[in-house]
Structures are given as C-alpha cells and as structure tokens.
Amino acid sequence: MTVTAIVGANWGDEGKGKMTDVLAEGADYVVRFQGGSNAGHTILNRHGKFALRMLPSGVFHPSATNVIGPGTALDVKVLLQELSMLEERGVPAPRLRVSDRAQLVLPAHRLLDELEEERLGEGSFGSTKRGIAPFYADKYAKIGVQAADLFDEPRLRSRIERQLESKNVLFRYLYGREPLHADDAADALLTQAERLRPFVCDASELLYDAVRRGETVLLEGQLGALRDPDHGIYPYSTSSSPLAGFASVGAGLPAGTIANVLAVTKAYSSCVGAGPFATELNGSAAEELRRRGGDAGEYGAVTGRPRRVGWFDAVATRYGCRLQGATEVALTNLDALGYLERIPVCTAYRLEDGRVVGRFPTTGALEKAAPVLETLDGWRSDVSDCRTFEALPPAARRYVEFVESSIGVPVAYVSVGPRREQLIRRR
C-alpha cells in the first residue's frame, strides 16, 4: 500500500503542482481532497504551460485515474472548461472520476464572495472571489448541493431554493442587488450535468478498493499549512483544511492509510493574499526576486496578482512541516536564488516585547513580529542544469543542508527549474 499526501508547508504557491505531476508518472490515482478553483497548480510539460484550478495535476499521465474527492469545492463550470482546454491543446482525454458526494460551487457563492470583499474594502481578506468561503459556509450549514443531486431534478431545485432563501435577503438589503432565481441556477446545472454524468461515481469505494489492491495513490492538497483555518494565520486563511490530516477525510479514505507526507516549500518565501508575512521584501529587492522566481515570475496562477516575496522562513516552514506530519520535503525554486552574493534566512522572530522566539505565534503577535535573520553565502551561478546533488555548487548544497537542519525533515527533492526534468532526487 502506498498512499502519499503532497501538501504545502507555507502559504501556498510552493510548487505542489509540479511535484504531483512528476510523481503521478508512477501513480495509479491522483486525488484532489479539498479546496476549489481559488488556487491554481502550474505545470510545464511537453504540451505547454498549464494552470489547473479544478483538475488534479495527474491529468497529463494517461495511466493515472484523476479523482475529485468529496472534500473538494466542485465548480462544474470551471471543470468542464478545463477539460475543453486540454482537448483544444492536444492533451489526451484524462481518466477522470468525480465523487458523487462532492458539493457544488454555485453562482450565488461567487457573487456573494465578490460583493463581500467589495464591502470590506481595505479590511478584506484577499479572497480570489471564487465563492469558496460562502461555499464552505453552506456546506457546514447543511444547505449545500451534492454532485448526486444533479441527477435528481426535483431535489436539485429544492436544494437551491432553500440555499437562496437567506442569500437573497443579503443580496437585496445588504448589497442592494436583485435576488437570484433558483430556476436559473438549476437550469444551468442540469445542462452541465449531462457532460459531467460519465465521470460521477462513488469515489470513496473506488479509492478504498485501490488501496486494498496495493495501488499507488497521490493525494494533492491546495494552498499550504499556514492557510489552515485552525492552525494558520486566521482570519487570513482558506475555508478548508489543507493539512495531510484532512486528506483521508477529503478523499474518502480510512484514517491511517497515508504512509508518506511530502511537504513542499520554496527556497524563499512567497504568498498571494493578505495576512502577516514576517520576511516580506519590498521595493526593488522584492521585484528582483519576484522577476526571477517561478517559471515566468511570481504571479498568482489564478489571480495574476504579483505574489508577495521574502526570504526563507525556517520558523514558519518548521511549523508547517510539523502540522503536515511531513516525512520528507521538496525544496523548490532553488535556481531563483543564484543571483545573490549573500542570502538571508529567518531563523527566529523578535516579538513586540523584545523576546526572541523560535515558535510560530498566533496572528496578533505575528503581525508585530520582526524576523531574526542569519545570512548564508550565495553561489552566484545558474544551477538549472544540475541533476544530482553533487553537481550543485558547494554553497548551494550548504544552503539545502541548512534548510534541512532548520526544519528537521529530510529534503528528498530539490527543484532547480519549472520543467519536470529539472529535479534532483536526493533520497
């Protein structure tokens, strides 16, 4: 039995899509277990560059079955658009399955998300306005709509009507908008349902049988540990748990089936969205790192917003790896640091009262914390063609080893570029 969770150690945008794409070559199943179309996984392969929002990152491997689990916020419109996009770009049709228990993101969720962010103004939470927070609010309020409801028209219309009762009060009296009509949403979904029908199944049974047969399963997380609503930088968090501990729930597998947890982190820090970010750079220093990062600069795969960037934060990453229960780490974007003579790394925080701590504090304290930096030698060279750890310059090897010792988890992979083959396997 081999079940591996691939999850983020930080704020998201760590490179999980690339690592899932690479490891999917030897996988039987690749499963999205939480989140929705609010974050993109960028993949670069022989077909081109792709930013997937709903589809699992294993869709470029014909041998892998890609599953959207019951914990996912299923945006049917985005899913069908992505399938059409793959076909248009010459990618073979993926093997796809969608849990009949996955719940649907509806137009009302997207509209409510957008209007609330506008109302909050400068106090907004940096939402991508994809309807995720309203979606999960409805899910836990027990007024959501499951994928199975698409094939039971009376039930579907009834569920949408119930969901819109309270929302239309908000639309009219809080936001000054006309109410939405249940029939409009239901009619659109019923049209989409026929395209979705071939993919819908009991995904929990599918994966349970796969595990019993000893097949290889990858569980693909969205965002990172520091966006977890319980353990992250609340309220600047996402609305579902991106932790490996939730992966079995969101995929529909029994607890204890996950044997490996691969936590992904960048060789520096980045994030899209609001919230405390202790090592953040500004001005020309930020722009220089942003320009060199990623495959075409540090910009959100879904939003296109410039990512906030900063030095590697060992405190945050150690905390994120602990929350994830990481058994190994993938360190990505090492190549982006090759221009620096000296590279600062955050090893502790100085709190408002002057105390220096090595733990990750709660949001209020973190907002006032300053990073304590230790500086390492840079390597001043291009490492994108290195394929073994020994081929890296000595200073680059020392940097990786420093990260490894700081976070207390083995660095099993080092990514030196955005393409599949630009990867060093250490273990």
Side-chain angles (χ1 to χ4, degrees):
M1 177 186 71
T2 304
V3 180
T4 297
I6 302 175
V7 290
N10 304 119
W11 300 264
D13 304 306
E14 300 98 343
K16 297 179 295 298
K18 173 181 175 173
M19 293 308 305
T20 304
D21 176 54
V22 168
L23 297 181
E25 185 175 12
D28 298 296
Y29 293 85
V30 180
V31 187
R32 277 283 308 271
F33 66 84
Q34 49 84 221
S37 65
N38 54 318
H41 288 181
T42 303
I43 296 170
L44 192 65
N45 57 34
R46 64 185 179 87
H47 298 287
K49 179 182 174 181
F50 300 84
L52 301 178
R53 292 182 284 159
M54 278 306 319
L55 286 171
S57 297
V59 292
F60 302 101
H61 297 276
S63 61
T65 298
N66 294 270
V67 181
I68 294 178
T72 307
L74 175 59
D75 192 319
V76 180
K77 180 179 179 180
V78 173
L79 177 68
L80 295 177
Q81 286 174 341
E82 289 189 350
L83 287 172
S84 297
M85 177 268 294
L86 293 184
E87 182 180 7
E88 291 167 2
R89 296 182 61 179
V91 178
R95 294 165 62 179
L96 177 66
R97 298 292 181 268
V98 176
S99 171
D100 53 7
R101 297 178 187 273
Q103 294 199 20
L104 309 180
V105 178
L106 300 181
H109 296 136
R110 290 188 289 270
L111 179 58
L112 189 60
D113 199 0
E114 180 180 345
L115 294 174
E116 182 62 6
E117 282 290 286
E118 290 176 359
R119 187 186 71 83
L120 291 171
E122 292 183 359
S124 69
F125 300 112
S127 170
T128 59
K129 303 176 184 178
R130 302 286 171 172
I132 302 303
F135 162 85
Y136 279 108
D138 281 356
K139 179 175 183 175
Y140 294 111
K142 299 179 283 293
I143 55 173
V145 177
Q146 292 184 317
D149 297 333
L150 291 171
F151 312 108
D152 182 343
E153 183 174 343
R155 178 177 173 82
L156 175 65
R157 294 186 184 277
S158 173
R159 297 296 297 173
I160 295 175
E161 285 174 0
R162 181 178 179 186
Q163 191 180 99
L164 286 178
E165 286 175 357
S166 58
K167 286 183 178 49
N168 278 334
V169 175
L170 292 174
F171 288 142
R172 181 182 291 277
Y173 296 106
L174 181 60
Y175 303 114
R177 295 295 188 98
E178 290 299 312
L180 300 183
H181 299 286
D183 284 343
D184 292 339
D187 290 345
L189 284 171
L190 289 168
T191 300
Q192 295 168 349
E194 292 312 304
R195 291 184 61 192
L196 191 69
R197 186 187 293 272
F199 308 119
V200 177
C201 72
D202 185 338
S204 298
E205 182 178 50
L206 177 75
L207 294 173
Y208 180 71
D209 290 344
V211 169
R212 291 186 63 191
R213 292 192 298 267
E215 295 182 299
T216 300
V217 180
L218 299 180
L219 307 178
E220 180 183 18
Q222 181 209 56
L223 295 170
L226 305 183
R227 295 294 187 187
D228 182 80
D230 294 307
H231 302 282
I233 54 171
Y234 184 87
Y236 306 100
S237 52
T238 191
S239 302
S240 62
S241 176
L243 301 183
F246 182 77
S248 59
V249 176
L253 284 169
T257 56
I258 300 173
N260 307 304
V261 177
L262 176 63
V264 187
T265 181
K266 280 177 177 163
Y268 53 92
S269 297
S270 74
C271 78
V272 170
F277 185 24
T279 67
E280 184 171 13
L281 294 170
N282 295 290
S284 60
E287 189 53 39
E288 182 72 3
L289 181 54
R290 184 179 297 116
R291 182 177 66 83
R292 294 172 180 271
D295 63 289
E298 287 288 0
Y299 299 91
V302 169
T303 64
R305 292 183 293 189
R307 292 190 183 117
R308 301 160 67 192
V309 295
W311 304 125
F312 181 80
D313 189 331
V315 180
T317 306
R318 182 168 59 245
Y319 176 72
C321 286
R322 190 189 86 198
L323 290 178
Q324 295 290 11
T327 56
E328 56 186 1
V329 161
L331 184 69
T332 63
N333 292 53
L334 184 70
D335 53 299
L337 299 179
Y339 70 102
L340 293 161
E341 285 277 4
R342 302 279 284 168
I343 308 174
V345 174
C346 175
T347 57
Y349 298 145
R350 189 179 303 279
L351 302 182
E352 186 181 30
D353 61 7
R355 286 181 299 135
V356 175
V357 299
R359 63 176 179 82
F360 193 77
T362 55
T363 304
L366 187 61
E367 287 176 331
K368 302 169 186 175
V372 176
L373 300 174
E374 183 170 335
T375 305
L376 305 180
D377 290 333
W379 46 94
R380 294 289 290 173
S381 62
D382 181 7
V383 299
S384 60
D385 289 330
C386 295
R387 295 295 179 268
T388 66
F389 190 66
E390 293 69 27
L392 290 172
R397 296 200 300 269
R398 287 193 292 271
Y399 187 87
V400 174
E401 289 163 351
F402 184 88
V403 167
E404 186 174 65
S405 65
S406 297
I407 62 178
V409 182
V411 174
Y413 302 91
V414 179
S415 176
V416 292
R419 300 193 305 274
R420 282 178 183 170
E421 66 273 15
Q422 291 178 298
L423 188 70
I424 296 169
R425 300 173 188 253
R426 292 185 68 208
R427 302 174 189 278

